[in-house]
C-alpha cells in the first residue's frame, strides 16, 4: 500500500472543504432552492429518542436513556404509552361520569341513632345475625327469641354480612322501627330451621319524664311562644348547671291552661351521686317571659316519684342595665331635677335642707328617689291611674315606654302589692339595678 504523508492528507481535506463551501455560497446567490434546513429549528417530531410523534417514541436513541422526554406523561388511572384523555375527562374532573357508592338500605345515619335495643348478645354471619344470649325481661325475651336463633332480615332488609358488607342490626332498627319501637323481623328457628315473620316491640334506650306546664294565676301563654324544658345536673353550688337533656315545644295552643310534655334522656348520663333538677321557661321574642317558680328535684335516675310532674311558671321580671352611679357633687342638682320631673315643681328650701341633712347622715340618694316615686303628688300627676303610673315610672327610670310583656308584669306586681306605691317603686328600683 502507498503511504501518504500526514501533512498531505490534512491539506487535501482543507481544500475540499473550501470548494464545497464556495459552491454552496454560489448557489444561494443564483436563487437556487435551499436543500438544507436551517440550524437550531425546533421540530418536536425529531427529538432525540422519539422518532416522530406518530410513533409515540417507538424509535429510541441508543445513546440516550429511555423516556428522557415524553410528550404524553402518564397520569394516575391512565395507561403508559397511550395519550391522555382530553381536558375535562380526567378521572374525577370535568364531565366524567362517576357512579356514586350506594348506601345499603337501613345504613343511613339517623338523628336518633341507637335509640332502640332488642336485648341480645349476637354475632354477624353470612346468613344473618345469630343470637348467643337473650337478656332477661328484654324485648327479645318477650318476643320468644332463643339462643342460636338467627335474625335474617328487618322489614325485608338483610342483616349480618351481605356480600362482604356489614349490615348492623341496630342501624336497621333505627331505620325501620316506628315511633313506638315496633319492628318486623324474619327469624330462623334454631330447632326447626323454619323461617317466620315476628313483630317485636323494641325497648327504648332512653328514659322519660312526663309532666305538664301551667302559668301562675291562670295566665295565658304568649302567641308564638316556645316552651323549653331542661333536665340539669347541679355540679356544685355557685356554678352553672349542666344540661343533661332538653326539649322545646312549639306551635302549641296558647289558649289551653296546661301544656303536656315528655322529656327523654339517656340514663347512662346520670350518676347515683349526682343532684338533678327539672326546670322550664317560656321564650317569647327571644326573651324569657315565664320561668319555673322553683326547681323540681329528681332522683339520681333523673326521675321523680313516678307521677307526672306538674310545673308552674311565674312571670319573669324584666331585666335592665345597671344605671351609672351619680357623682356625690351632683347630688343636690339631682334632687332638684327629680322634684321637677316627678312632682312638677322645684323643692322648697325646707325640703331641700331636710334632704341634704339626711344625705349627710348617710341617707342613700336612691331613698330620696324612692320617696318621690311613691309621693302622692307624683300619683296625682299620673291621673291616679296605675297604667299611666307604671308607664311614667318606666319612662323615667328606663328611658323608654314599656312593651306589653313588661307592662303586664308590672301591673301584676302593682295589684299584688295592693297598690302600695312605695313598695312598687322599691321593686322597680331593684329591677333596674338602682338598689344593688
Amino acid at each position: 500500500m502507498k503511504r501518504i504523508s500526514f501533512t498531505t492528507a490534512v491539506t487535501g481535506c482543507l481544500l475540499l472543504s473550501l470548494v464545497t463551501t464556495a459552491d454552496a455560497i454560489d448557489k444561494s446567490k443564483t436563487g437556487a432552492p435551499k436543500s438544507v434546513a436551517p440550524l437550531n429549528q425546533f421540530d418536536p417530531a425529531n427529538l432525540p429518542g422519539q422518532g416522530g410523534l406518530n410513533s409515540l417514541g417507538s424509535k429510541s436513541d441508543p445513546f440516550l436513556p429511555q423516556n428522557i422526554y415524553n410528550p404524553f406523561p402518564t397520569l394516575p388511572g391512565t395507561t403508559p404509552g397511550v395519550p391522555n384523555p382530553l381536558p375535562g375527562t380526567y378521572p374525577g374532573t370535568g364531565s366524567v361520569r362517576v357512579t356514586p357508592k350506594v348506601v345499603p338500605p337501613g345504613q343511613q345515619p339517623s338523628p336518633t341513632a341507637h335509640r332502640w335495643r332488642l336485648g341480645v348478645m349476637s354475632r354477624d354471619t353470612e346468613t344473618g345475625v345469630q343470637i348467643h344470649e337473650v337478656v332477661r325481661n328484654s324485648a327479645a325475651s318477650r318476643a320468644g327469641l332463643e339462643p342460636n336463633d338467627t335474625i335474617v332480615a328487618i322489614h325485608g332488609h338483610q342483616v349480618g354480612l351481605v356480600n362482604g358488607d356489614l349490615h348492623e342490626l341496630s342501624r336497621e332498627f333505627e331505620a325501620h322501627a316506628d315511633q313506638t319501637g315496633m319492628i318486623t323481623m324474619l327469624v330462623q328457628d334454631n330447632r326447626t330451621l323454619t323461617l317466620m315473620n315476628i313483630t317485636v316491640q323494641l325497648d327504648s334506650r332512653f328514659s322519660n319524664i312526663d309532666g305538664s306546664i301551667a302559668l301562675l294565676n291562670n295566665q295565658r301563654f304568649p302567641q308564638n311562644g316556645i316552651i323549653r324544658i331542661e333536665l340539669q345536673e347541679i355540679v356544685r353550688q355557685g356554678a352553672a348547671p349542666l344540661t343533661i337533656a332538653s326539649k322545646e315545644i312549639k306551635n302549641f295552643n296558647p289558649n289551653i291552661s296546661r301544656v303536656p310534655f315528655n322529656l327523654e334522656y339517656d340514663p347512662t348520663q346520670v350518676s347515683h351521686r349526682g343532684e338533678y333538677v327539672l326546670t322550664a321557661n317560656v321564650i317569647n321574642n327571644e326573651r324569657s317571659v315565664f320561668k319555673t317558680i322553683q326547681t323540681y328535684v329528681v332522683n339520681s335516675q333523673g326521675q321523680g316519684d313516678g307521677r307526672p310532674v306538674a310545673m308552674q311558671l311565674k312571670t319573669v321580671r324584666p331585666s335592665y342595665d345597671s344605671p351609672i352611679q351619680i357623682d356625690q357633687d351632683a347630688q343636690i342638682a339631682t334632687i332638684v331635677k327629680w322634684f321637677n320631673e316627678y312632682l312638677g315643681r322645684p323643692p322648697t328650701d325646707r325640703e331641700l335642707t331636710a334632704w341634704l341633712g339626711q344625705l349627710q347622715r348617710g341617707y342613700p340618694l336612691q331613698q330620696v328617689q324612692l320617696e318621690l316615686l311613691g309621693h302622692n303628688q307624683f300619683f296625682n300627676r299620673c291621673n291616679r291611674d296605675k297604667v299611666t303610673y307604671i308607664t311614667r315610672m318606666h319612662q323615667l327610670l328606663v328611658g323608654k315606654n314599656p312593651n306589653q310583656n313588661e307592662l303586664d308584669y308590672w301591673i301584676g306586681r302593682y295589684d299584688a302589692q295592693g297598690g302600695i306605691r312605695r313598695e312598687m317603686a322599691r321593686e322597680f328600683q331593684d329591677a333596674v339595678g338602682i338598689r344593688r
Side-chain angles (χ1 to χ4, degrees):
M1 176 178 281
K2 186 177 181 179
R3 295 178 179 271
I4 300 176
S5 66
F6 177 76
T7 303
T8 304
V10 171
T11 303
C13 291
L14 291 175
L15 289 174
L16 181 61
S17 176
L18 290 173
V19 172
T20 303
T21 303
D23 184 60
I25 295 173
D26 185 64
K27 289 181 179 181
S28 64
K29 290 180 180 180
T30 60
K34 298 180 181 180
S35 60
V36 180
L39 297 178
N40 299 327
Q41 180 177 352
F42 177 74
D43 185 1
N46 292 300
L47 290 175
Q50 301 304 313
L53 286 174
N54 295 331
S55 62
L56 295 177
S58 60
K59 298 179 181 179
S60 60
D61 193 320
F63 298 101
L64 292 175
Q66 295 297 318
N67 299 325
I68 188 173
Y69 171 78
N70 184 7
F72 304 116
T74 302
L75 294 178
T78 62
T79 305
V82 178
N84 293 325
L86 296 175
T89 60
Y90 292 113
T93 64
S95 59
V96 63
R97 189 177 184 86
V98 179
T99 303
K101 182 179 180 181
V102 178
V103 180
Q107 295 294 319
Q108 293 83 358
S110 171
T112 57
H114 306 296
R115 172 173 179 167
W116 304 109
R117 59 185 173 189
L118 180 61
V120 296
M121 302 293 291
S122 60
R123 182 171 66 91
D124 296 302
T125 70
E126 292 183 352
T127 57
V129 177
Q130 188 178 47
I131 299 174
H132 282 261
E133 182 180 345
V134 177
V135 178
R136 186 177 180 182
N137 297 325
S138 65
S141 176
R142 295 192 301 270
L145 296 177
E146 299 177 350
N148 296 323
D149 286 347
T150 301
I151 302 173
V152 180
I154 302 295
H155 273 267
H157 299 280
Q158 282 186 264
V159 292
L161 297 175
V162 182
N163 297 326
D165 293 330
L166 176 61
H167 292 236
E168 295 180 356
L169 195 63
S170 60
R171 289 187 176 272
E172 298 298 333
F173 289 158
E174 309 307 325
H176 302 293
D178 64 13
Q179 293 182 351
T180 64
M182 296 297 294
I183 201 79
T184 300
M185 302 191 303
L186 179 64
V187 181
Q188 184 183 47
D189 187 278
N190 72 92
R191 290 172 293 184
T192 63
L193 301 181
T194 58
L195 294 173
M196 55 184 176
N197 281 305
I198 62 174
T199 301
V200 182
Q201 173 77 59
L202 299 174
D203 293 327
S204 175
R205 294 179 181 270
F206 294 95
S207 296
N208 298 275
I209 300 178
D210 296 318
S212 62
I213 292 176
L215 303 183
L216 197 63
N217 299 326
N218 295 322
Q219 298 184 71
R220 294 297 181 184
F221 289 94
Q223 293 284 346
N224 302 320
I226 300 174
I227 299 176
R228 181 178 298 159
I229 306 105
E230 293 186 346
L231 176 62
Q232 299 176 336
E233 179 182 4
I234 306 301
V235 182
R236 65 178 183 274
Q237 295 299 327
L242 177 65
T243 299
I244 302 298
S246 64
K247 181 176 184 178
E248 288 189 351
I249 304 176
K250 303 178 181 179
N251 302 322
F252 56 90
N253 184 2
N255 296 320
I256 60 177
S257 59
R258 283 191 173 273
V259 177
F261 71 86
N262 176 271
L263 178 64
E264 289 186 336
Y265 69 95
D266 187 351
T268 62
Q269 295 187 11
V270 301
S271 168
H272 66 280
R273 297 182 179 179
E275 181 182 355
Y276 302 92
V277 297
L278 197 65
T279 64
N281 57 15
V282 178
I283 309 298
N284 188 35
N285 296 325
E286 300 182 354
R287 187 176 69 85
S288 178
V289 293
F290 296 96
K291 67 178 181 180
T292 44
I293 299 176
Q294 61 183 10
T295 55
Y296 293 79
V297 180
V298 294
N299 61 22
S300 59
Q301 283 73 44
Q303 300 174 341
D305 55 5
R307 295 177 300 177
V309 180
M311 307 180 71
Q312 282 193 318
L313 279 62
K314 66 178 181 180
T315 307
V316 176
R317 186 180 68 183
S319 59
Y320 306 96
D321 296 330
S322 298
I324 300 175
Q325 297 296 326
I326 301 175
D327 187 88
Q328 188 174 5
D329 296 338
Q331 288 181 342
I332 297 177
T334 300
I335 294 175
V336 174
K337 176 176 176 293
W338 284 344
F339 263 85
N340 285 300
E341 287 183 345
Y342 300 175
L343 308 184
R345 63 175 179 83
T348 63
D349 292 341
R350 182 176 180 180
E351 288 173 328
L352 185 59
T353 301
W355 283 121
L356 290 177
Q358 294 290 345
L359 293 176
Q360 292 175 357
R361 288 189 290 271
Y363 202 76
L365 185 61
Q366 59 262 31
Q367 192 68 27
V368 181
Q369 184 186 46
L370 174 66
E371 298 295 340
L372 295 179
L373 290 173
H375 203 282
N376 193 50
Q377 291 184 20
F378 179 60
F379 192 58
N380 288 338
R381 297 193 70 204
C382 297
N383 299 322
R384 305 192 70 82
D385 177 69
K386 63 181 178 181
V387 176
T388 306
Y389 172 71
I390 292 170
T391 301
R392 182 56 179 159
M393 189 160 52
H394 202 283
Q395 293 171 344
L396 293 171
L397 271 65
V398 183
K400 66 181 183 67
N401 290 327
N403 59 37
Q404 190 60 48
N405 288 332
E406 293 167 337
L407 185 60
D408 292 342
Y409 172 82
W410 289 117
I411 291 176
R413 294 308 306 153
Y414 183 93
D415 294 338
Q417 293 288 355
I420 302 177
R421 297 184 299 276
R422 193 172 183 275
E423 294 302 320
M424 179 69 179
R426 187 189 302 277
E427 282 196 21
F428 214 107
Q429 283 184 325
D430 290 339
V432 176
I434 293 176
R435 302 180 63 85
R436 295 175 189 172

